[in-house]
Amino acid sequence: MSPNFLGKNITMTETAEKIRDHFDLFHQPEYADMMDNKRKQFENSVGEAEVARVSDWTKTKEYQEKNFAREALVINPAKACQPLGAVFAAVGFEKTLPFVHGSQGCVAYYRSHFSRHFKEPTSCVSSSMTEDAAVFGGLNNMIDGLANSYALYKPKMIAVSTTCMAEVIGDDLNAFIKNAKEKGSVPQDFDVTYAHTPAFVGSHITGYDNVMKGVVEHFWDGKSGTVEKLERKPNESVNFLGGFDGNTVGNIREVKRIFELMGVDYTIFGDNSDVWDTPADGEFRMYDGGTTLEQAANAIHAKATISMQEFCTEKTLATIAAHGQEVVAFNSPIGITGTDRFLQAISRITGKAIPEALTKERGRLVDAIGDSSAHIHGKKFAIFGDPDLCYGLAEFILELGGEPTHILATNGNKTWEAKVQALLDSSPFGVNCKVYAGKDLWHLRSLLFTEPVDFMIGNTYGKYLERDTGTPLIRMGFPVFDRHHHHRSPIWGYQGTMNVLVKILDKIFDEMDKATNIAGKTDLSFDIIR
Amino acid sequence: MSTAVAESPADIKERNKKLIGEVLEAYPDKSAKRRAKHLNSYEAEKAECSVKSNIKSIPGVMTIRGCAYAGSKGVVWGPIKDMVHISHGPVGCGQYSWGSRRNYYKGNTGIDTFGTMQFTSDFQEKDIVFGGDKKLGKIIDEIQELFPLNRGISVQSECPIGLIGDDIEAVSKAKTKQYDGKPIIPVRCEGFRGVSQSLGHHIANDVIRDWVFDKAGDKVATFESTPYDVAIIGDYNIGGDAWASRILLEEMGLRVIAQWSGDGTIAELENTPKAKLNILHCYRSMNYITRHMEEKFGIPWVEYNFFGPTKIEASLREIASKFDDKIKEGAERVIAKYKPRMQAIVDRYRPRLEGKKVMLYVGGLRPRHVIGAYEDLGMEVVGTGYEFGHNDDYQRTTHYVKDGTLIYDDVTGYEFEKFVEKVRPDLVGSGIKEKYIFQKMGVPFRQMHSWDYSGPYHGYDGFAIFARDMDIAINAPIWKLTKAPWS
C-alpha cells in the first residue's frame, strides 16, 4: 500500500492468482475513487442531481414530443448505407470479389462490420480514391485497381459498386470499366458487373437490390453490349433471392433443404452461406461456394423468382419480371402462416406437392407453440430492424398471441408502414400497435418509457435501450455483434421459426428467474418447472 | 508452427528477401515497383527501417487502412465524452464506427455523456444537391434542445461535405454565437483526404488548436495548479487503458489534469495548457498538438510506453526525471511495489509462452510499443508494420526490433497472408479484418486494436491481462485440432 497525491492508499488489483477482467477491475474501490475524483476535479461536471433531473425529463411525454418533432438530426439509426448491402450481395457469387469504387476507408468499415457479425473474414477491395481523384475523377483508380485485383486475388468475377464520394463526383462506372478493359486491366470477356450505390439514397437494403439488379442485367442483357442478350427459354426451375439478412448462413441452408425435400430445381441467386461459414482447417478460403456464373446466367430461364424480402429486392424483381418471369415476394416469413404461404407458393409455381416431411415439421412447430404460447400470450413487444424482418416477426408474434406494440424500421417507407398496418388490422392482437417508418432508436427510447413493453426484438444496438429502459432485448437481425453464432441458425421455415420461438421463450424464462431468485425474498415462485 | 531451430539473422534476411520477391511477383509490374518500397528486413544498427511510408495505397489490393474521418471521429474526437459528435454526411460512416472502438468512459449516456451514440445528419440526395448547411444548423438546434447538458458539438465531415462546397465553418461560428460561446467545432476530415487515418489525426489536432485552445483563452480553470500536474496525451482508454495508466501516475505523486482523449472532456482539453508536462503515448495521433503546446505554452513533453513491466519501469523513471525528488522517489516506490507482482505474472505465464514468435500489424504506436511486453514474456516479434505510420514511426521502431525483423508498411491482404503462411508465427496480432483469416489457417490471433474485447493492456494491471490473453490465444486446445485425424 502506498499513498497517492490525495493521501489515499492504492493497492494493485491484479495479481497472478486472480486476474480480473475490465468489467470487474474498474469497479474495485481504487479505480472507482479515481474516476470520482477525476469527475469532481477536472470534468466540470454538472453534478448528480442535475444529471438525474435531466435523465428523468428524457423519460417524459414532453420529451417524447420534442424528440418526435426532430426534422434534421438522426440519433442511433437502425440502418446502414447502400455500399454495405452491395458487398453483402456481391460475395454471394462464385469467386467474386466486391470492388468498391471510391474512398478506401469505407471498405475497411464494411469488412469490419461484417466480420464483427459473422465472426468470419470478408474480402473486398477499394479503388482507394483520394484528393486527386476527387478533382480528376477516379478512372485511373479503376484501371489500376481492376488490374491489381485481378492479378492478386484471381477472381472469376468482379462486382463493382460505389461509395458516396464516387457518386458525388459523378464517375460513370460503365464507361470506366469499358475503358479499363481496353487498357487490359482484365480480359475483355471477364465478367465485371456494376451498380451505382450512393450512400445518400436508401439504405443497405437498397444497395443489395442495386447489385442484384446489376448482376441480372449483366448476365441477361448482353454484358453491357458486349455479347448478345440472352433469350429466355422457360424451364421448370425457380430462382431464390434471400435479401440482406443477418441469418443468411442458416437461412439459405434451410431454404435449400426445403427445396430439396420438395424436389424443386432451384437457383439461390446470391448464395453467401458458404463464404461466411468456412472451416478452420489450416486453409484460408477467400472464396467459397456461391452462385456460379453459369447459374446466374441461366437463371433467366427460370419459371419464377421468389424473393424472401420484398423491400430488399424491389428493383431486381421489376427487372426480372420485365424478362417475363413470375415474381413472388415475401416479407421475411416467420411462423406457421408465413411459412405455409411460402411453401404453398413454391408448390403452386413448381407443381410439386409439399412433402409429408414438411407437413410433419409444421405439426411439430404447432405442437411446440401449443405447449408454450401461454407464456407469450398477451406479452407486449417492441420490434425494430429492416422492414421485411419487422413484418415477419410481427406476424409471428401475432400468431403466438403476443401483442406487437411498437414496430420501427429506420429504412421503412410509407408503403411498408401501410403493409404492416394492414397486418396488424387483421388480428385482435394488433390493435394497440403503432408502426414507425423512418424513425430511429432514440425515438424508440421515448416510446419505451412512455408506453412500456415486456420485451424488445432487434439487433445488438437495442442493448442501449435495454440498459436505459429496462426492456429485455431478444437479439435478432443485423448486426448482432455481442452474441456469437446466431447467424448460423435459420429463422425461416418451420424449423427456423422453432429457433425464434425458443429464443423468445428463453428470454421470457430467464427474466422470470431473474425476478424470482433472491433467497428468502423474491424466490417464492423460483420454480423448477416452468 | 515455428521450429525451435535458431536461425541466424543472415538466414532470416535471406528468407525475407526471397519471400518479399515472391509476393511482389504476383503484382502487375507497376504495382510491384510501388509495393517493393514498403517491404524490407530491418538491418541492425540502422536508424530507420528502410521502408517508404505514408504514401497512397494502391487501388484494388485490399489495404487494411481506413480514412481521415476514422482518424478524427473514430480516434481523436469520438472519445471526448461530454460532447456530441455529428457524423456529417450519409448514414454509414457513423454507423460502422458506432461503439466499436471501446473507448471506455464514465457517465450517463444520452444525458451528460454521448460516447456510444451515433448522431448523424443522414444525408439524402436533396442534401447533396442543395447543400447541407441549413440542415446542419437545424441539427445543432435539435441537439441543444434534446441534450441540454452537452458541453460542445463537433461536426465530423464525411466525404460529400468537401465535395459539395458546404461551409460548415460558417454554420459553426454562427451557432457558437447563438449559443453563448458554446464550442461548436467543424472538422474537415473528409475520408478522401490524405492516404489513411493519419491525416485525420493531424486535422483533428489542428482543429483543437484553432477551435478549442484559441477560443478557450479567457476561461478560468476550475482547479488550483500544482507543480505535479500532467496530461495524458494519446491514450484512448480502449478497454480502460488510460485508467490503468492514470492510477500509476497518481500513485507516484503526479496529478493528471486531463486525458486525451479516452474518457476525456472538453474542460480537460481546455485546461491542458496548465499542465507542467505532457506525457505522450500514441505519438502518431497526437504529436502535433503536443508540439504545438510546447511551442505556444512552453509545455515540455515526453513519450512513454506502458506496455509490459520493463517498458513501464523505464517510462516511470523517464517521466519522474522531469520532476523533483518527491516524484522520483514516488516512481521508485511504485516500481519496487509492483516488481514482485509482475514477477509473479511472468513466472506464471513465461513458461507457457517462452520462445513463441509473433507477427504484428497494427496502427498508431502498437507495432513497436507492444514488443517489450511480448519480450517480458519471453516471446519474440519477428515481423511488424504500420497501417498509417510515417518515417518517424519507423525510426522509433529501430529501438525495439531485432536484426532481420520483417517490416511491412501498409501491408495488403495478399502480402500479409503469404508472409504468415511462410513465416508461421505462433501468434498474429492485428485487427478484426485479419483475425478470422489467420485463425482459419490455424494460427492463433489476438486483436491488437480492440484487445479482442478484453483489456486494459496498459499499466501494471494491463500487463497481467495481456499476459493471460496471450496465453489464452496461443495455448487454446483448439489449435491442435484443426486437422481431422483421417486427413
Side-chain angles (χ1 to χ4, degrees):
Chain A
M1 302 279 263
S2 55
N4 73 348
F5 74 97
L6 291 168
K8 285 202 174 181
N9 283 323
I10 295 185
T11 182
M12 179 177 153
T13 51
E14 301 288 26
T15 62
E17 294 75 43
K18 182 168 176 60
I19 295 174
R20 296 173 201 269
D21 277 301
H22 46 83
F23 42 77
D24 190 7
L25 177 67
F26 294 124
H27 298 288
Q28 301 305 307
E30 295 86 350
Y31 280 105
D33 287 353
M34 185 187 82
M35 286 181 222
D36 279 350
N37 286 326
K38 177 177 182 293
R39 190 176 70 242
K40 282 181 199 144
Q41 291 197 50
F42 305 113
E43 293 186 359
N44 193 19
S45 144
V46 291
E48 281 170 26
E50 178 64 357
V51 171
R53 185 191 67 78
V54 174
S55 176
D56 287 343
W57 171 64
T58 67
K59 300 171 185 173
T60 62
K61 196 90 189 163
E62 179 204 340
Y63 186 87
Q64 179 177 321
E65 277 163 21
K66 286 180 191 291
N67 191 8
F68 273 74
R70 266 190 282 146
E71 290 174 355
L73 172 64
V74 173
I75 311 164
N76 298 353
K79 67 169 181 181
C81 68
Q82 274 213 57
L84 184 82
V87 174
F88 183 100
V91 299
F93 294 89
E94 182 197 12
K95 291 191 84 174
T96 295
L97 184 65
F99 181 107
V100 185
H101 184 53
S103 303
Q104 72 191 15
C106 312
V107 167
Y109 277 143
Y110 317 142
R111 295 180 65 209
S112 302
H113 210 62
F114 283 128
S115 287
R116 287 174 179 137
H117 175 83
F118 290 112
K119 318 295 178 199
E120 292 284 327
T122 301
S123 298
C124 174
V125 296
S126 163
S127 66
S128 295
M129 284 165 66
T130 53
E131 277 144 317
D132 52 345
V135 178
F136 302 111
L139 176 59
N140 287 333
N141 298 67
M142 179 73 79
I143 293 169
D144 290 347
L146 287 180
N148 286 328
S149 298
Y150 182 75
L152 282 188
Y153 299 112
K154 306 197 172 7
K156 238 183 165 175
M157 175 166 111
I158 291 176
V160 179
S161 54
T162 50
T163 77
C164 54
M165 180 205 182
E167 289 299 323
V168 171
I169 65 174
D171 279 0
D172 179 347
L173 292 182
N174 190 20
F176 280 19
I177 293 165
K178 220 173 141 195
N179 213 319
K181 284 188 169 182
E182 276 160 17
K183 301 259 184 201
S185 298
V186 296
Q188 281 289 355
D189 60 352
F190 181 79
D191 288 303
V192 182
T193 67
Y194 69 92
H196 288 275
T197 50
F200 45 81
V201 175
S203 72
H204 55 287
I205 61 174
T206 324
Y208 174 95
D209 196 9
N210 280 329
V211 166
M212 285 304 182
K213 176 172 171 277
V215 174
V216 167
E217 286 174 343
H218 174 82
F219 284 106
W220 299 5
D221 292 344
K223 305 188 175 184
S224 300
T226 59
V227 294
E228 289 287 302
K229 289 186 180 188
L230 293 183
E231 191 192 330
R232 181 163 179 264
K233 295 173 189 147
N235 60 27
E236 288 301 306
S237 74
V238 175
N239 301 325
F240 177 89
L241 286 159
F244 191 106
D245 171 24
N247 290 73
T248 188
V249 170
N251 274 342
I252 287 186
R253 288 180 186 163
E254 178 63 10
V255 166
K256 284 180 185 172
R257 191 185 67 89
I258 290 170
F259 279 137
E260 272 150 30
L261 276 172
M262 291 183 72
V264 171
D265 182 7
Y266 67 93
T267 300
I268 306 288
F269 204 86
D271 177 359
N272 45 27
S273 65
D274 283 340
V275 75
W276 272 324
D277 192 19
T278 62
D281 58 0
E283 180 197 350
F284 161 53
R285 294 163 180 79
M286 183 169 163
Y287 310 106
D288 200 17
T291 311
T292 67
L293 308 191
E294 293 71 25
Q295 284 175 317
N298 287 332
I300 190 173
H301 308 303
K303 196 169 187 185
T305 293
I306 295 173
S307 163
M308 216 55 158
Q309 300 198 72
E310 180 185 10
F311 295 98
C312 267
T313 50
E314 288 171 301
K315 288 182 210 162
T316 307
L317 289 187
T319 304
I320 291 173
H323 284 81
Q325 278 185 34
E326 180 185 355
V327 294
V328 183
F330 295 93
N331 303 100
S332 189
I334 298 167
I336 305 280
T337 319
T339 308
D340 289 351
R341 276 201 311 271
F342 173 56
L343 296 184
Q344 284 171 306
I346 300 171
S347 177
R348 178 185 59 74
I349 292 163
T350 62
K352 307 269 185 184
I354 297 168
E356 180 56 27
L358 286 172
T359 310
K360 214 166 176 184
E361 282 178 22
R362 183 186 191 280
R364 291 181 188 130
L365 178 60
V366 173
D367 183 63
I369 293 172
D371 297 343
S372 314
S373 71
H375 292 288
I376 303 171
H377 196 104
K379 295 277 190 303
K380 291 183 173 181
F381 289 84
I383 300 168
F384 73 87
D386 283 343
D388 294 291
L389 180 62
C390 282
Y391 186 101
L393 286 168
E395 186 171 28
F396 184 44
I397 294 296
L398 291 171
E399 223 166 50
L400 295 168
E403 296 179 15
T405 304
H406 315 295
I407 300 175
L408 181 145
T410 309
N411 50 355
N413 57 22
K414 290 284 161 205
T415 316
W416 169 80
E417 200 172 274
K419 190 156 192 177
V420 179
Q421 191 56 53
L423 169 70
L424 296 166
D425 292 344
S426 72
S427 163
F429 295 94
V431 289
N432 294 316
C433 186
K434 276 205 182 116
V435 191
Y436 301 91
K439 299 297 178 197
D440 55 43
L441 299 186
W442 198 254
H443 292 115
L444 185 55
R445 185 179 186 271
S446 279
L447 293 171
L448 293 176
F449 280 124
T450 58
E451 299 162 68
V453 298
D454 299 299
F455 295 93
M456 158 175 53
I457 307 180
N459 63 31
T460 281
Y461 299 117
K463 81 187 293 174
Y464 296 127
L465 297 170
E466 179 169 24
R467 174 196 60 195
D468 290 0
T469 70
T471 316
L473 171 67
I474 297 161
R475 285 168 177 77
M476 201 95 50
F478 179 93
V480 174
F481 290 154
D482 63 338
R483 296 292 183 273
H484 292 195
H485 308 307
H486 288 194
H487 65 276
R488 297 173 196 276
S489 306
I491 61 169
W492 293 338
Y494 300 121
Q495 291 202 352
T497 301
M498 188 76 86
N499 293 332
V500 178
L501 175 71
V502 173
K503 267 179 94 168
I504 294 170
L505 287 167
D506 277 352
K507 182 61 79 175
I508 289 175
F509 292 132
D510 283 348
E511 289 298 314
M512 231 180 251
D513 283 349
K514 266 202 275 180
T516 57
N517 68 0
I518 301 172
K521 286 198 171 147
T522 63
D523 66 346
L524 304 178
S525 51
F526 190 60
D527 287 336
I528 202 74
I529 308 161
R530 298 275 194 206
Chain B
M1 294 299 103
S2 58
T3 52
V5 184
E7 294 168 285
S8 73
D11 291 344
I12 292 169
K13 280 181 229 171
E14 192 50 40
R15 180 208 62 193
N16 288 352
K17 200 176 161 190
K18 207 169 142 230
L19 190 46
I20 291 166
E22 276 169 29
V23 300
L24 291 174
E25 266 173 32
Y27 287 91
D29 288 349
K30 180 175 157 193
S31 298
K33 273 186 200 137
R34 287 174 65 183
R35 282 306 304 157
K37 297 174 186 158
H38 298 263
L39 309 170
N40 218 329
S41 290
Y42 174 61
E43 294 279 351
E45 312 305 326
K46 275 204 177 174
E48 29 94 20
C49 295
S50 308
V51 292
K52 295 275 183 204
S53 57
N54 197 31
I55 294 174
K56 261 197 268 181
S57 302
I58 300 175
V61 296
M62 214 168 330
T63 172
I64 293 161
R65 283 174 169 177
C67 64
Y69 165 89
S72 175
K73 189 268 185 179
V75 175
V76 175
W77 277 104
I80 306 290
K81 64 181 176 179
D82 58 351
M83 291 177 68
V84 170
H85 308 288
I86 304 165
S87 291
H88 191 40
V91 69
C93 316
Q95 203 70 7
Y96 310 129
S97 56
W98 179 9
S100 53
R101 205 153 182 268
R102 303 184 65 237
N103 308 109
Y104 281 7
Y105 63 94
K106 184 155 190 197
N108 196 327
T109 301
I111 311 301
D112 65 346
T113 47
F114 311 92
T116 49
M117 294 175 70
Q118 135 69 332
F119 293 86
T120 174
S121 43
D122 188 15
F123 260 36
Q124 301 299 305
E125 199 146 26
K126 64 176 190 304
D127 302 312
I128 301 287
V129 176
F130 299 111
D133 286 341
K134 268 193 184 161
K135 186 176 198 176
L136 179 60
K138 194 174 247 182
I139 283 170
I140 292 167
D141 294 340
E142 290 175 356
I143 289 170
Q144 284 299 98
E145 170 129 38
L146 291 169
F147 304 98
L149 299 185
N150 85 76
R151 289 302 173 88
I153 295 167
S154 81
V155 182
Q156 305 287 328
S157 301
E158 300 171 6
C159 287
I161 305 306
L163 298 171
I164 61 175
D166 273 13
D167 191 351
I168 59 171
E169 289 80 7
V171 176
S172 301
K173 274 184 196 154
K175 287 294 166 185
T176 296
K177 205 170 164 197
Q178 182 185 336
Y179 293 113
D180 306 319
K182 172 179 280 283
I184 296 175
I185 297 166
V187 192
R188 287 281 178 186
C189 54
E190 288 88 344
F192 61 81
R193 293 191 197 278
V195 304
S196 68
Q197 294 91 316
S198 184
L199 188 64
H201 306 141
H202 198 153
I203 291 167
N205 277 226
D206 288 353
V207 164
I208 296 174
R209 176 193 67 203
D210 298 342
W211 291 76
V212 179
F213 285 165
D214 288 1
K215 294 182 195 311
D218 51 352
K219 286 194 188 167
V220 182
T222 51
F223 56 81
E224 292 287 319
S225 286
T226 78
Y228 305 117
D229 290 355
V230 299
I232 295 176
I233 311 282
D235 189 325
Y236 302 102
N237 206 32
I238 291 167
D241 281 339
W243 291 330
S245 304
R246 183 185 186 106
I247 206 163
L248 296 178
L249 298 167
E250 290 188 351
E251 192 171 0
M252 70 190 264
L254 295 171
R255 191 172 78 154
V256 179
I257 64 165
Q259 282 177 210
W260 291 55
S261 56
D263 193 40
T265 55
I266 184 85
E268 289 168 70
L269 297 195
E270 288 170 348
N271 285 330
T272 303
K274 297 180 177 64
K276 301 295 185 292
L277 178 73
N278 279 329
I279 66 164
L280 178 60
H281 209 241
C282 183
Y283 171 85
R284 179 73 276 129
S285 59
M286 283 198 176
N287 78 85
Y288 319 99
I289 197 69
T290 312
R291 291 176 195 279
H292 170 74
M293 283 191 266
E294 183 178 40
E295 282 164 26
K296 176 131 190 221
F297 308 110
I299 305 171
W301 54 281
V302 59
E303 286 179 64
Y304 70 112
N305 178 348
F306 267 10
F307 287 103
T310 305
K311 292 294 172 190
I312 296 173
E313 203 174 304
S315 294
L316 289 174
R317 289 199 174 110
E318 172 75 12
I319 294 165
S321 73
K322 312 291 178 192
F323 292 93
D324 60 12
D325 286 349
K326 185 188 149 200
I327 300 298
K328 287 179 188 135
E329 283 158 21
E332 292 308 323
R333 193 179 59 239
V334 171
I335 291 165
K337 182 179 124 184
Y338 290 114
K339 207 157 202 160
R341 303 179 193 208
M342 288 301 105
Q343 192 57 51
I345 301 285
V346 170
D347 289 345
R348 178 169 172 189
Y349 290 105
R350 187 164 177 142
R352 302 171 60 78
L353 299 169
E354 185 86 49
K356 301 288 186 191
K357 291 186 164 59
V358 185
M359 286 176 78
L360 298 169
Y361 182 71
V362 218
L365 70 164
R366 292 163 179 171
R368 61 176 180 276
H369 261 46
V370 299
I371 292 175
Y374 283 112
E375 288 175 351
D376 284 336
L377 294 167
M379 300 166 73
E380 186 191 355
V381 173
V382 297
T384 194
Y386 293 80
E387 259 184 54
F388 48 81
H390 299 203
N391 198 41
D392 49 2
D393 290 300
Y394 284 101
Q395 284 166 353
R396 283 164 167 76
T397 307
T398 61
H399 305 306
Y400 289 89
V401 291
K402 287 186 176 149
D403 196 21
T405 303
L406 185 59
I407 307 286
Y408 29 83
D409 177 71
D410 183 22
V411 79
T412 68
Y414 178 84
E415 291 161 1
F416 201 15
E417 191 195 322
K418 293 293 165 207
F419 288 161
V420 170
E421 210 174 271
K422 290 282 161 63
V423 176
R424 295 307 291 187
D426 301 288
L427 180 75
V428 174
S430 190
I432 182 71
K433 303 191 291 296
E434 294 72 60
K435 178 181 173 79
Y436 302 106
I437 292 170
F438 297 119
Q439 290 188 173
K440 305 271 179 204
M441 289 164 63
V443 181
F445 188 98
R446 282 301 289 192
Q447 288 185 65
M448 294 303 282
H449 299 261
S450 67
W451 307 147
D452 246 306
Y453 324 116
S454 176
Y457 282 177
H458 292 179
Y460 286 123
D461 281 348
F463 179 68
I465 298 171
F466 172 84
R468 181 205 59 184
D469 286 357
M470 297 311 133
D471 178 42
I472 286 174
I474 289 178
N475 293 311
I478 193 65
W479 304 122
K480 295 195 177 72
L481 302 173
T482 52
K483 290 283 176 214
W486 54 89
S487 64

